[in-house]
Amino acid sequence: MSQCCLQGFQWDGVPNGKESTLANNKAYTTGSNLDVAILVIPDLFGWTFTNERLLSDHYASEVDATVFMPDFFGGEVIPPEIISDHARLAAFDLTGWHARNAKEVRWPELLSCVQALRSQYKRVGVLGYCYGGWSSFRLGSKSHSPPLVDCISAAHPTWLTKEEMDDVGVPVQILAPEVDPAFTSELKKYANEVIPTKGMPYDYQFFPEVEHGFATRGNPGDEKERRAMVRGKNVQVAWMREWLHG
């Protein structure tokens, strides 16, 4: 991860869900479908970030699902105000954050939350942003038998490896901005060469002229970014509807 994972804009709006728990993790929950659930794995700003709570509300309503966005960062919350404070942004200790939230540290929590959903709901999807990119692929691995989830969607994934792409075993969608130091041109190329050979549905959505973080921290006052944000939300809704209700 790099500073791009902390840049962007805060959105206006009041989320309409509630705070609850999933497995042993606090979670933002919205929606009321008793059969279909979506796990949202947030970017660095975590489960309290208004932008991603507002997105979760959209998914609950437009997909017709119960949506859970847990705290996967041990209660640590990055103040969203840092987005517009260049001095605080530059001073933030990303290296320390990485160590506290490494894959091996958080994987048991990710796994237990999905297992809890799988035990309660008939269909389960995963939407991952940034940090949620690698973890959505890991949850959609073909090594899980039976599958833990029915489909995944990853927007501007971070820490995603070629090996994790090799191992995916459920319908997979990627939202890829043109400018992304985390999901590089090399990784984009690899995804589009390898994933189509895996024998499952694959949807690659390319977003020209926008940067890493556009789906959760884009500028609604910029027409180019606003259109990308809306399109991103719409294609994820369509993907989830297809595999969770189709």
Side-chain angles (χ1 to χ4, degrees):
M1 292 186 186
S2 60
Q3 290 292 337
C4 66
C5 296
L6 295 170
Q7 296 170 342
F9 292 82
Q10 296 182 70
W11 304 340
D12 295 327
V14 179
N16 58 30
K18 62 183 180 181
E19 295 186 359
S20 61
T21 59
L22 178 64
N24 293 317
N25 294 51
K26 292 182 179 179
Y28 176 74
T29 306
T30 179
S32 58
N33 192 308
L34 299 179
D35 294 324
V36 176
I38 296 173
L39 178 72
V40 173
I41 306 173
D43 64 15
L44 277 71
F45 288 94
W47 77 294
T48 63
F49 190 33
T50 296
N51 293 15
E52 290 176 85
R53 290 192 172 194
L54 292 170
L55 280 171
S56 295
D57 289 345
H58 277 285
Y59 299 133
S61 173
E62 296 178 38
V63 177
D64 183 16
T66 302
V67 178
F68 296 83
M69 183 169 64
D71 170 23
F72 288 121
F73 304 139
E76 180 177 3
V77 173
I78 300 174
E81 296 79 18
I82 199 174
I83 290 175
S84 56
D85 189 328
H86 296 294
R88 291 175 69 188
L89 183 66
F92 185 79
D93 180 18
L94 265 177
T95 301
W97 192 96
H98 291 170
R100 292 188 295 275
N101 298 289
K103 292 183 179 183
E104 63 271 16
V105 174
R106 298 303 175 194
W107 173 245
E109 298 174 40
L110 289 155
L111 182 59
S112 65
C113 283
V114 161
Q115 288 173 331
L117 292 180
R118 182 53 96 189
S119 70
Q120 183 177 348
Y121 293 87
K122 295 178 181 177
R123 306 289 286 177
V124 178
V126 178
L127 288 165
Y129 297 104
C130 186
Y131 184 92
W134 72 267
S135 40
S136 61
F137 269 77
R138 187 82 66 88
L139 291 168
S141 169
K142 63 186 178 185
S143 65
H144 305 299
S145 182
L148 289 173
V149 300
D150 297 291
C151 64
I152 64 172
S153 177
H156 37 82
T158 300
W159 288 358
L160 179 61
T161 67
K162 293 178 180 179
E163 292 75 18
E164 287 162 341
M165 286 189 271
D166 287 340
D167 201 43
V168 70
V170 299
V172 54
Q173 179 186 64
I174 297 177
L175 278 61
E178 180 177 3
V179 181
D180 195 338
F183 192 54
T184 62
S185 295
E186 179 186 0
L187 289 173
K188 290 182 175 78
K189 183 174 184 289
Y190 190 84
N192 287 321
E193 289 177 348
V194 172
I195 296 177
T197 71
K198 299 299 177 181
M200 83 280 299
Y202 173 50
D203 181 38
Y204 181 84
Q205 297 281 339
F206 181 68
F207 293 78
E209 300 183 274
V210 294
E211 302 180 3
H212 180 93
F214 80 93
T216 55
R217 287 172 272 117
N219 179 4
D222 181 294
E223 178 63 14
K224 175 180 60 185
E225 293 190 26
R226 187 192 67 80
R227 287 180 64 89
M229 290 157 48
V230 172
R231 178 185 152 214
K233 185 269 294 180
N234 287 344
V235 298
Q236 288 189 307
V237 166
W239 188 250
M240 290 289 139
R241 287 193 64 85
E242 179 171 0
W243 298 107
L244 301 180
H245 291 288

